[in-house]
Coordinates of all heavy atoms in Angstrom, one line a residue:
L1 N 32.0 -21.1 -86.6 CA 32.4 -19.7 -87.0 C 33.2 -19.1 -85.9 O 32.7 -19.0 -84.8 CB 31.1 -18.9 -87.3 CG 31.4 -17.4 -87.7 CD1 32.0 -17.3 -89.0 CD2 30.1 -16.7 -87.7
Q2 N 34.4 -18.7 -86.2 CA 35.3 -18.0 -85.3 C 35.7 -16.7 -85.8 O 36.0 -16.5 -87.0 CB 36.6 -18.8 -85.1 CG 36.4 -20.1 -84.3 CD 37.7 -20.7 -84.0 OE1 38.7 -20.5 -84.6 NE2 37.8 -21.6 -83.0
V3 N 35.6 -15.7 -84.9 CA 36.1 -14.4 -85.2 C 37.3 -14.1 -84.3 O 37.2 -14.1 -83.1 CB 35.0 -13.3 -84.9 CG1 35.5 -11.9 -85.2 CG2 33.7 -13.7 -85.7
K4 N 38.5 -14.0 -85.0 CA 39.7 -13.8 -84.2 C 39.9 -12.4 -83.8 O 40.2 -12.1 -82.6 CB 40.9 -14.3 -85.1 CG 40.9 -15.8 -85.3 CD 42.1 -16.3 -86.0 CE 42.0 -17.8 -86.2 NZ 43.2 -18.3 -86.8
D5 N 39.8 -11.5 -84.7 CA 40.1 -10.1 -84.4 C 38.9 -9.3 -84.9 O 38.6 -9.3 -86.1 CB 41.3 -9.6 -85.1 CG 42.6 -10.3 -84.5 OD1 42.7 -10.3 -83.3 OD2 43.4 -10.7 -85.3
I6 N 38.2 -8.6 -84.0 CA 37.1 -7.7 -84.4 C 37.6 -6.3 -84.3 O 38.0 -5.8 -83.2 CB 35.9 -7.9 -83.6 CG1 35.4 -9.3 -83.8 CG2 34.8 -6.9 -83.9 CD1 34.2 -9.7 -82.9
L7 N 37.7 -5.6 -85.4 CA 38.1 -4.2 -85.3 C 36.9 -3.3 -85.2 O 35.9 -3.5 -85.9 CB 38.9 -3.8 -86.6 CG 40.2 -4.5 -86.8 CD1 40.9 -4.2 -88.1 CD2 41.2 -4.2 -85.7
P8 N 37.0 -2.3 -84.4 CA 35.8 -1.4 -84.3 C 35.7 -0.5 -85.5 O 36.7 -0.3 -86.2 CB 36.2 -0.5 -83.1 CG 37.6 -0.6 -82.9 CD 38.0 -1.9 -83.5
T9 N 34.5 -0.1 -85.9 CA 34.3 0.8 -87.0 C 34.8 2.1 -86.5 O 35.1 2.4 -85.4 CB 32.8 0.9 -87.3 OG1 32.1 1.5 -86.2 CG2 32.2 -0.4 -87.7
N10 N 34.9 3.1 -87.5 CA 35.3 4.4 -87.1 C 34.5 5.0 -86.0 O 35.0 5.6 -85.0 CB 35.3 5.4 -88.3 CG 36.4 5.0 -89.3 OD1 37.3 4.4 -89.0 ND2 36.2 5.5 -90.5
A11 N 33.2 4.8 -86.0 CA 32.3 5.4 -85.0 C 32.5 4.6 -83.7 O 32.6 5.3 -82.6 CB 30.8 5.2 -85.4
D12 N 32.6 3.3 -83.7 CA 32.9 2.6 -82.5 C 34.2 3.0 -81.8 O 34.3 2.9 -80.6 CB 32.9 1.1 -82.8 CG 31.6 0.5 -83.2 OD1 30.5 1.1 -82.8 OD2 31.6 -0.5 -83.9
A13 N 35.1 3.4 -82.6 CA 36.4 3.8 -82.0 C 36.3 5.1 -81.2 O 37.2 5.4 -80.4 CB 37.5 3.9 -83.1
E14 N 35.3 5.8 -81.4 CA 35.1 7.1 -80.7 C 34.6 6.9 -79.2 O 34.7 7.7 -78.4 CB 34.1 8.0 -81.4 CG 34.5 8.3 -82.8 CD 35.9 9.0 -83.0 OE1 36.5 9.4 -82.0 OE2 36.3 9.1 -84.2
V15 N 34.0 5.7 -79.0 CA 33.4 5.4 -77.6 C 34.6 5.4 -76.6 O 35.6 4.9 -76.8 CB 32.7 4.1 -77.6 CG1 32.3 3.7 -76.2 CG2 31.5 4.1 -78.5
G16 N 34.3 6.1 -75.5 CA 35.3 6.3 -74.4 C 36.2 7.5 -74.6 O 36.9 7.8 -73.7
K17 N 36.1 8.2 -75.7 CA 36.9 9.4 -75.9 C 36.3 10.6 -75.3 O 35.1 10.6 -75.0 CB 37.1 9.6 -77.4 CG 38.1 8.7 -78.1 CD 38.3 9.1 -79.5 CE 39.3 8.1 -80.2 NZ 39.6 8.5 -81.6
I18 N 37.1 11.6 -75.1 CA 36.6 12.9 -74.6 C 36.2 13.8 -75.7 O 36.9 13.9 -76.7 CB 37.7 13.6 -73.7 CG1 38.1 12.7 -72.6 CG2 37.2 15.0 -73.2 CD1 37.1 12.2 -71.7
A19 N 35.0 14.4 -75.6 CA 34.5 15.3 -76.7 C 34.3 16.7 -76.0 O 34.2 16.8 -74.8 CB 33.2 14.8 -77.2
V20 N 34.3 17.7 -76.9 CA 34.1 19.1 -76.4 C 32.8 19.5 -76.9 O 32.5 19.4 -78.2 CB 35.2 20.0 -76.9 CG1 35.0 21.4 -76.4 CG2 36.6 19.5 -76.4
V21 N 31.9 20.0 -76.1 CA 30.6 20.5 -76.5 C 30.7 21.8 -77.3 O 31.4 22.8 -76.8 CB 29.7 20.7 -75.2 CG1 28.3 21.3 -75.6 CG2 29.5 19.4 -74.5
T22 N 30.2 21.8 -78.5 CA 30.2 23.0 -79.3 C 28.8 23.7 -79.4 O 28.7 24.9 -79.9 CB 30.7 22.7 -80.7 OG1 29.9 21.7 -81.3 CG2 32.1 22.2 -80.7
E23 N 27.8 23.0 -79.1 CA 26.4 23.5 -78.9 C 25.8 22.9 -77.7 O 25.9 21.6 -77.6 CB 25.6 23.2 -80.2 CG 24.1 23.6 -80.1 CD 23.3 23.1 -81.2 OE1 23.0 21.9 -81.3 OE2 22.9 24.0 -82.1
Q24 N 25.2 23.6 -76.8 CA 24.6 23.1 -75.6 C 23.9 21.8 -75.9 O 23.1 21.7 -76.8 CB 23.7 24.0 -74.9 CG 23.1 23.5 -73.7 CD 22.2 24.5 -72.9 OE1 22.7 25.3 -72.3 NE2 20.9 24.3 -73.1
V25 N 24.2 20.8 -75.1 CA 23.6 19.4 -75.2 C 22.4 19.4 -74.2 O 22.6 19.5 -73.0 CB 24.6 18.3 -74.9 CG1 23.9 17.0 -74.9 CG2 25.7 18.3 -75.8
S26 N 21.2 19.4 -74.8 CA 20.0 19.3 -74.0 C 18.9 18.5 -74.7 O 18.5 18.9 -75.8 CB 19.4 20.8 -73.8 OG 18.1 20.7 -73.2
N27 N 18.7 17.3 -74.1 CA 17.7 16.4 -74.7 C 16.3 17.1 -74.8 O 15.5 16.9 -75.7 CB 17.6 15.1 -74.0 CG 18.9 14.3 -74.1 OD1 19.8 14.7 -74.8 ND2 18.9 13.2 -73.4
E28 N 16.0 17.9 -73.7 CA 14.7 18.5 -73.6 C 14.5 19.6 -74.8 O 13.4 19.7 -75.4 CB 14.5 19.2 -72.3 CG 13.1 19.8 -72.1 CD 13.0 20.3 -70.6 OE1 13.4 19.6 -69.7 OE2 12.5 21.5 -70.5
D29 N 15.6 20.3 -75.1 CA 15.5 21.3 -76.1 C 15.9 20.8 -77.5 O 15.8 21.5 -78.5 CB 16.5 22.5 -75.8 CG 16.0 23.2 -74.5 OD1 14.8 23.2 -74.2 OD2 16.9 23.9 -73.9
N30 N 16.2 19.5 -77.5 CA 16.6 18.8 -78.8 C 17.8 19.5 -79.4 O 17.8 19.8 -80.6 CB 15.5 18.7 -79.7 CG 15.8 17.6 -80.8 OD1 16.5 16.7 -80.6 ND2 15.2 17.8 -82.0
T31 N 18.8 19.9 -78.6 CA 20.0 20.6 -79.1 C 21.2 19.8 -78.7 O 21.2 19.0 -77.7 CB 20.2 22.0 -78.6 OG1 20.3 22.0 -77.1 CG2 19.0 22.9 -79.0
G32 N 22.3 20.0 -79.4 CA 23.6 19.3 -79.0 C 24.5 19.0 -80.1 O 24.1 18.3 -81.1
R33 N 25.7 19.5 -80.0 CA 26.8 19.1 -80.9 C 28.1 19.0 -80.1 O 28.3 19.8 -79.2 CB 27.0 20.2 -82.0 CG 25.8 20.6 -82.8 CD 25.5 20.0 -84.1 NE 26.4 19.4 -85.0 CZ 26.1 18.5 -85.9 NH1 24.9 18.0 -85.9 NH2 27.0 18.0 -86.7
V34 N 28.9 18.1 -80.5 CA 30.2 17.9 -79.9 C 31.3 17.7 -80.9 O 31.0 17.3 -82.0 CB 30.2 16.7 -78.9 CG1 29.3 17.0 -77.7 CG2 29.9 15.4 -79.5
R35 N 32.5 18.0 -80.6 CA 33.7 17.8 -81.4 C 34.5 16.6 -80.8 O 34.9 16.7 -79.7 CB 34.5 19.0 -81.6 CG 35.6 18.9 -82.6 CD 36.4 20.2 -82.8 NE 37.0 20.6 -81.6 CZ 36.7 21.7 -80.9 NH1 35.7 22.5 -81.3 NH2 37.3 22.0 -79.8
I36 N 34.6 15.6 -81.6 CA 35.4 14.4 -81.2 C 36.6 14.3 -82.2 O 36.4 14.0 -83.4 CB 34.6 13.1 -81.2 CG1 33.3 13.3 -80.5 CG2 35.4 11.9 -80.7 CD1 32.3 12.1 -80.7
G37 N 37.8 14.5 -81.7 CA 39.0 14.4 -82.6 C 38.9 15.2 -83.8 O 39.3 14.8 -84.9
G38 N 38.3 16.4 -83.7 CA 38.2 17.3 -84.9 C 37.0 17.1 -85.8 O 36.8 17.9 -86.7
V39 N 36.2 16.2 -85.4 CA 34.9 15.9 -86.2 C 33.7 16.3 -85.4 O 33.6 16.0 -84.2 CB 34.9 14.4 -86.6 CG1 33.6 14.1 -87.4 CG2 36.1 14.0 -87.4
N40 N 32.8 17.0 -86.0 CA 31.6 17.5 -85.4 C 30.5 16.5 -85.4 O 30.2 16.0 -86.5 CB 31.2 18.8 -86.0 CG 30.2 19.6 -85.2 OD1 29.1 19.1 -84.9 ND2 30.6 20.8 -84.8
W41 N 29.9 16.2 -84.3 CA 28.8 15.2 -84.2 C 27.6 15.8 -83.6 O 27.7 16.6 -82.7 CB 29.3 14.0 -83.3 CG 30.3 13.1 -83.8 CD1 31.6 13.3 -83.9 CD2 30.1 11.8 -84.4 NE1 32.3 12.2 -84.4 CE2 31.3 11.3 -84.7 CE3 29.0 11.0 -84.6 CZ2 31.5 10.0 -85.3 CZ3 29.1 9.7 -85.1 CH2 30.4 9.3 -85.5
K42 N 26.4 15.3 -84.0 CA 25.2 15.6 -83.3 C 25.3 14.8 -81.9 O 25.9 13.7 -81.9 CB 24.0 15.0 -84.0 CG 22.7 15.3 -83.3 CD 21.5 14.8 -84.1 CE 20.2 15.0 -83.3 NZ 19.0 14.6 -84.0
A43 N 24.8 15.4 -80.8 CA 25.0 14.8 -79.5 C 23.7 14.8 -78.7 O 22.9 15.7 -78.8 CB 26.1 15.5 -78.7
K44 N 23.5 13.8 -77.9 CA 22.5 13.7 -76.9 C 23.1 13.3 -75.6 O 24.1 12.6 -75.6 CB 21.4 12.7 -77.4 CG 20.6 13.1 -78.6 CD 19.2 12.5 -78.5 CE 18.4 13.0 -79.7 NZ 17.7 14.3 -79.3
S45 N 22.4 13.7 -74.5 CA 22.9 13.3 -73.2 C 22.6 11.9 -72.9 O 21.4 11.5 -73.1 CB 22.3 14.2 -72.1 OG 22.7 13.8 -70.9
F46 N 23.5 11.1 -72.4 CA 23.3 9.7 -72.1 C 22.3 9.5 -70.9 O 21.5 8.6 -70.9 CB 24.6 9.0 -71.8 CG 24.6 7.6 -71.7 CD1 24.5 6.8 -72.8 CD2 24.8 6.9 -70.5 CE1 24.4 5.4 -72.8 CE2 24.8 5.5 -70.4 CZ 24.6 4.8 -71.5
D47 N 22.3 10.5 -70.0 CA 21.5 10.4 -68.8 C 20.5 11.5 -68.6 O 19.9 11.7 -67.6 CB 22.4 10.2 -67.6 CG 23.2 11.5 -67.3 OD1 23.1 12.5 -68.0 OD2 24.0 11.4 -66.3
G48 N 20.4 12.4 -69.6 CA 19.5 13.5 -69.5 C 20.1 14.8 -69.0 O 19.4 15.8 -68.9
S49 N 21.3 14.8 -68.6 CA 22.0 16.0 -68.1 C 22.2 17.0 -69.2 O 22.2 16.6 -70.4 CB 23.4 15.6 -67.5 OG 23.3 14.8 -66.4
V50 N 22.3 18.3 -68.8 CA 22.5 19.3 -69.8 C 24.0 19.7 -69.7 O 24.5 19.9 -68.6 CB 21.6 20.6 -69.5 CG1 21.9 21.7 -70.4 CG2 20.1 20.2 -69.6
F51 N 24.7 19.9 -70.8 CA 26.1 20.3 -70.9 C 26.3 21.5 -71.6 O 25.8 21.6 -72.8 CB 26.9 19.1 -71.5 CG 26.8 17.8 -70.8 CD1 26.0 16.8 -71.3 CD2 27.4 17.6 -69.6 CE1 25.9 15.6 -70.6 CE2 27.3 16.4 -68.9 CZ 26.5 15.4 -69.4
P52 N 26.9 22.5 -71.0 CA 27.1 23.8 -71.7 C 28.3 23.8 -72.7 O 29.1 22.9 -72.7 CB 27.5 24.8 -70.6 CG 28.2 23.9 -69.6 CD 27.5 22.5 -69.7
V53 N 28.3 24.8 -73.6 CA 29.4 24.9 -74.6 C 30.7 25.0 -73.8 O 30.8 25.7 -72.8 CB 29.2 26.2 -75.5 CG1 30.4 26.5 -76.3 CG2 27.9 26.0 -76.3
G54 N 31.7 24.3 -74.3 CA 33.0 24.2 -73.7 C 33.2 23.1 -72.8 O 34.4 22.8 -72.4
A55 N 32.2 22.4 -72.3 CA 32.3 21.3 -71.4 C 33.0 20.1 -72.1 O 32.8 19.9 -73.2 CB 31.0 20.9 -70.8
N56 N 33.8 19.4 -71.3 CA 34.4 18.1 -71.7 C 33.4 17.1 -71.3 O 32.9 17.1 -70.2 CB 35.7 17.8 -71.1 CG 36.8 18.6 -71.7 OD1 36.7 19.3 -72.7 ND2 38.0 18.6 -71.1
V57 N 33.1 16.2 -72.2 CA 32.1 15.1 -72.0 C 32.8 13.8 -72.5 O 33.7 13.8 -73.3 CB 30.8 15.3 -72.6 CG1 30.0 16.5 -71.9 CG2 30.9 15.5 -74.1
C58 N 32.3 12.7 -72.0 CA 32.8 11.3 -72.4 C 31.8 10.7 -73.3 O 30.5 10.7 -73.1 CB 32.9 10.5 -71.1 SG 33.6 8.8 -71.5
V59 N 32.2 10.2 -74.4 CA 31.4 9.5 -75.4 C 31.0 8.1 -74.9 O 31.9 7.3 -74.7 CB 32.1 9.4 -76.8 CG1 31.1 8.7 -77.8 CG2 32.4 10.8 -77.3
E60 N 29.8 7.9 -74.6 CA 29.3 6.6 -74.1 C 28.9 5.6 -75.2 O 29.2 4.4 -75.0 CB 28.1 6.8 -73.1 CG 28.4 7.6 -71.9 CD 29.3 6.9 -70.9 OE1 29.4 5.6 -71.0 OE2 29.9 7.6 -70.1
K61 N 28.3 6.1 -76.2 CA 28.0 5.2 -77.4 C 27.7 6.1 -78.6 O 27.5 7.3 -78.5 CB 26.8 4.4 -77.1 CG 25.4 5.1 -77.1 CD 24.3 4.1 -76.9 CE 22.9 4.7 -77.1 NZ 21.8 3.8 -77.2
I62 N 27.8 5.5 -79.7 CA 27.5 6.1 -81.0 C 26.3 5.3 -81.6 O 26.3 4.1 -81.7 CB 28.6 6.1 -82.0 CG1 29.9 6.8 -81.4 CG2 28.3 6.7 -83.3 CD1 29.8 8.3 -81.4
S63 N 25.3 6.0 -82.0 CA 24.1 5.4 -82.7 C 23.9 6.2 -84.0 O 23.4 7.4 -83.9 CB 22.9 5.4 -81.8 OG 21.8 4.8 -82.5
G64 N 24.1 5.6 -85.1 CA 24.0 6.3 -86.4 C 25.0 7.5 -86.4 O 26.2 7.3 -86.3
T65 N 24.4 8.7 -86.5 CA 25.3 9.9 -86.6 C 25.2 10.7 -85.2 O 25.6 11.9 -85.2 CB 24.9 10.8 -87.7 OG1 23.5 11.2 -87.5 CG2 25.0 10.2 -89.1
T66 N 24.7 10.1 -84.2 CA 24.6 10.7 -82.9 C 25.5 10.1 -81.8 O 25.6 8.9 -81.7 CB 23.1 10.6 -82.4 OG1 22.3 11.2 -83.4 CG2 22.9 11.4 -81.1
A67 N 26.2 11.0 -81.1 CA 27.1 10.6 -80.0 C 26.3 10.8 -78.7 O 25.7 11.9 -78.5 CB 28.3 11.4 -80.0
Y68 N 26.2 9.8 -77.9 CA 25.6 9.9 -76.6 C 26.7 10.1 -75.6 O 27.6 9.3 -75.5 CB 24.8 8.6 -76.3 CG 23.5 8.6 -77.1 CD1 23.6 8.1 -78.4 CD2 22.3 9.0 -76.6 CE1 22.4 8.0 -79.2 CE2 21.2 9.0 -77.4 CZ 21.2 8.5 -78.7 OH 20.1 8.5 -79.5
V69 N 26.6 11.2 -74.8 CA 27.7 11.7 -74.0 C 27.2 11.8 -72.5 O 26.1 11.9 -72.2 CB 28.2 13.0 -74.4 CG1 28.8 12.9 -75.8 CG2 27.2 14.1 -74.4
S70 N 28.2 11.7 -71.6 CA 28.0 11.8 -70.2 C 29.0 12.7 -69.6 O 30.0 13.1 -70.2 CB 28.1 10.4 -69.5 OG 29.4 9.9 -69.6
A71 N 28.8 13.1 -68.3 CA 29.7 14.0 -67.6 C 31.1 13.5 -67.5 O 31.4 12.3 -67.4 CB 29.2 14.3 -66.2
Q72 N 32.0 14.4 -67.6 CA 33.5 14.1 -67.5 C 34.1 15.0 -66.4 O 33.8 16.2 -66.3 CB 34.1 14.4 -68.8 CG 35.6 14.3 -68.9 CD 36.2 12.9 -68.6 OE1 35.5 11.9 -68.9 NE2 37.3 12.8 -68.0
E73 N 34.9 14.4 -65.6 CA 35.6 15.2 -64.6 C 36.5 16.3 -65.3 O 36.8 16.1 -66.5 CB 36.6 14.3 -63.7 CG 35.8 13.5 -62.7 CD 36.8 12.8 -61.8 OE1 37.8 13.3 -61.5 OE2 36.4 11.7 -61.4
N74 N 36.8 17.3 -64.6 CA 37.5 18.5 -65.2 C 36.7 19.0 -66.4 O 37.2 19.0 -67.5 CB 38.9 18.1 -65.6 CG 39.7 17.5 -64.5 OD1 39.6 18.0 -63.3 ND2 40.5 16.5 -64.7
A75 N 35.5 19.4 -66.1 CA 34.5 19.7 -67.1 C 34.9 20.7 -68.2 O 34.2 20.7 -69.2 CB 33.2 20.1 -66.4
F76 N 35.9 21.6 -68.0 CA 36.2 22.5 -69.0 C 37.7 22.4 -69.4 O 38.5 22.1 -68.6 CB 35.9 24.0 -68.5 CG 34.4 24.2 -68.4 CD1 33.8 24.0 -67.2 CD2 33.7 24.7 -69.5 CE1 32.4 24.2 -67.1 CE2 32.3 24.9 -69.4 CZ 31.7 24.6 -68.2
L77 N 38.0 22.7 -70.7 CA 39.3 22.6 -71.2 C 40.2 23.6 -70.4 O 39.8 24.7 -70.1 CB 39.4 23.0 -72.6 CG 38.7 22.0 -73.6 CD1 38.7 22.6 -75.0 CD2 39.5 20.7 -73.6
K78 N 41.4 23.1 -70.1 CA 42.4 24.0 -69.5 C 43.0 24.9 -70.6 O 43.3 24.4 -71.7 CB 43.5 23.2 -68.8 CG 42.9 22.4 -67.6 CD 44.0 21.6 -66.9 CE 43.5 20.8 -65.8 NZ 44.5 20.0 -65.2
E79 N 43.3 26.1 -70.2 CA 44.0 27.0 -71.1 C 45.4 26.6 -71.2 O 46.0 26.3 -70.2 CB 43.9 28.5 -70.6 CG 42.5 29.0 -70.6 CD 41.9 29.2 -72.0 OE1 42.7 29.6 -72.9 OE2 40.7 29.1 -72.2
K80 N 46.0 26.7 -72.4 CA 47.4 26.4 -72.6 C 48.2 27.7 -72.2 O 47.7 28.8 -72.4 CB 47.7 26.1 -74.1 CG 47.1 24.8 -74.5 CD 47.6 24.5 -76.0 CE 47.0 23.2 -76.4 NZ 47.4 22.9 -77.8
P81 N 49.3 27.4 -71.5 CA 50.1 28.6 -71.0 C 50.7 29.4 -72.2 O 50.8 29.0 -73.2 CB 51.2 28.0 -70.2 CG 51.2 26.5 -70.5 CD 49.9 26.2 -71.1

């Protein structure tokens, strides 16, 4: 059995992208939502960190309907001039 080209599913294609936190991500409080490319996802912290609304985070993995996110440099969106 040979697999020549494996295309990621829609969810797999989100891994590695930058997401914007729309509801504080806190595993302890069981809260968290992020927007990835215009789509809203339930979110959990990959390492237990808490991320405030407006923070940029990196999508580490997708499991079901949940995005697991980690810290991203330049944590907040820059305002457009």
Side-chain angles (χ1 to χ4, degrees):
L1 176 68
Q2 286 186 340
V3 179
K4 292 184 179 183
D5 295 311
I6 298 176
L7 296 175
T9 65
N10 288 342
D12 292 335
E14 305 300 351
V15 173
K17 289 187 177 179
I18 302 304
V20 179
V21 176
T22 58
E23 174 187 73
Q24 179 175 283
V25 176
S26 171
N27 294 357
E28 186 174 313
D29 295 336
N30 198 30
T31 60
R33 307 261 337 153
V34 296
R35 187 175 60 249
I36 309 168
V39 179
N40 196 297
W41 288 79
K42 179 178 179 181
K44 292 211 173 272
S45 175
F46 191 70
D47 65 1
S49 297
V50 175
F51 301 105
V53 172
N56 284 350
V57 292
C58 181
V59 179
E60 296 291 339
K61 75 174 188 172
I62 301 284
S63 180
T65 60
T66 302
Y68 288 82
V69 298
S70 65
Q72 171 65 32
E73 285 187 31
N74 304 320
F76 291 90
L77 290 174
K78 294 181 181 176
E79 294 291 325
K80 291 184 179 180

